[in-house]
Amino acid sequence: MARAIWTLLALFGAVSLLAGRWSVAFVSFGTLAVSLAPLFVARWADIKVPPSFIAAIVAFVGGTLFLGEVFDFYEAFWWWDVVMHGSSAVGFGLIGFVLIFMMFQGDAYAAPPIAMAFFAFCFAIAIGAFWEVFEFGMDQLFGLNMQKSGLMDTMGDLIVDAAGALIGASAGWAYLKYQNRRRGLAAVIEEFVRNNPRLFPRRLRNRFKD
């Protein structure tokens, strides 16, 4: 699915260039670059990202930048913005937890589960805030309308971001608290940890002792 989306974005960008639709071409190639970036970063850092993760990232970026802006899904479907912001906040909440978990390796004394979940929540909120700055910059520099209704749109997005971040961070908390019953998003974290043992050496040693 990810490869199909990348191909379509490249073709759409090329056609837009030939037709002189510069803003559409910019969004198309920009979406392609942003969706490919996590893959190159993962390879550079020697991190094994499950295919489902890559597909989710590509689908989200395509839905946000390409469908949302080029085909105006934000105007056509009132719930599109809520879904995009909510799902991204959940994802960044999970990513934030994994980053904190890598640093502390699940050490309940150095960082109890609730503290790790809190920092994961803050990480996701920070990403959401940076995105709002990006939308403002795109509107000012390229005459787009990513902010839609201005302040109301920005605050609504941040509220949805907070809800999604809470879900993602809560999954991290559940991952640590209920180690024998990891389901849903907690199981997603477990899959990443299992696929990247070198990033969690102390965690694996503790499991071996158990």
Side-chain angles (χ1 to χ4, degrees):
M1 186 185 76
R3 290 189 179 94
I5 294 175
W6 288 329
T7 301
L8 289 174
L9 287 172
L11 290 175
F12 205 93
V15 171
S16 299
L17 281 178
L18 294 174
R21 301 177 64 186
W22 312 118
S23 61
V24 175
F26 174 81
V27 173
S28 299
F29 287 121
T31 302
L32 178 62
V34 172
S35 63
L36 283 169
L39 188 62
F40 287 105
V41 171
R43 289 181 178 177
W44 171 77
D46 192 22
I47 296 175
K48 294 181 180 179
V49 181
S52 58
F53 284 32
I54 296 296
I57 292 171
V58 173
F60 166 74
V61 174
T64 300
L65 294 178
F66 190 70
L67 295 179
E69 298 304 325
V70 175
F71 289 96
D72 208 16
F73 270 37
Y74 290 113
E75 292 294 336
F77 308 102
W78 65 267
W79 45 265
W80 192 256
D81 193 43
V82 175
V83 171
M84 291 295 101
H85 274 274
S87 59
S88 66
V90 172
F92 282 119
L94 294 175
I95 293 172
F97 172 80
V98 169
L99 293 175
I100 298 296
F101 186 59
M102 285 169 56
M103 289 190 291
F104 293 100
Q105 302 285 308
D107 190 335
Y109 294 99
I114 191 65
M116 296 178 69
F118 174 73
F119 283 112
F121 174 82
C122 292
F123 176 83
I125 288 292
I127 296 296
F130 278 118
W131 178 261
E132 295 304 319
V133 174
F134 170 76
E135 286 188 345
F136 174 79
M138 293 296 288
D139 289 352
Q140 297 301 311
L141 293 175
F142 298 102
L144 301 178
N145 187 31
M146 297 182 71
Q147 286 188 296
K148 310 307 177 189
S149 58
L151 179 61
M152 291 298 294
D153 178 78
T154 298
M155 293 309 301
D157 289 347
L158 290 176
I159 291 172
V160 174
D161 288 342
L166 183 61
I167 294 173
S170 297
W173 176 83
Y175 171 82
L176 293 176
K177 291 294 290 185
Y178 304 102
Q179 299 186 23
N180 296 324
R181 292 180 295 169
R182 288 169 176 165
R183 301 173 182 174
L185 294 176
V188 172
I189 297 174
E190 175 64 19
E191 181 182 7
F192 181 86
V193 173
R194 189 170 57 249
N195 288 339
N196 296 275
R198 70 177 185 84
L199 300 178
F200 307 93
R202 186 165 60 185
R203 185 66 172 175
L204 293 178
R205 285 199 302 270
N206 291 340
R207 286 183 181 178
F208 182 75
K209 291 178 181 178
D210 295 339

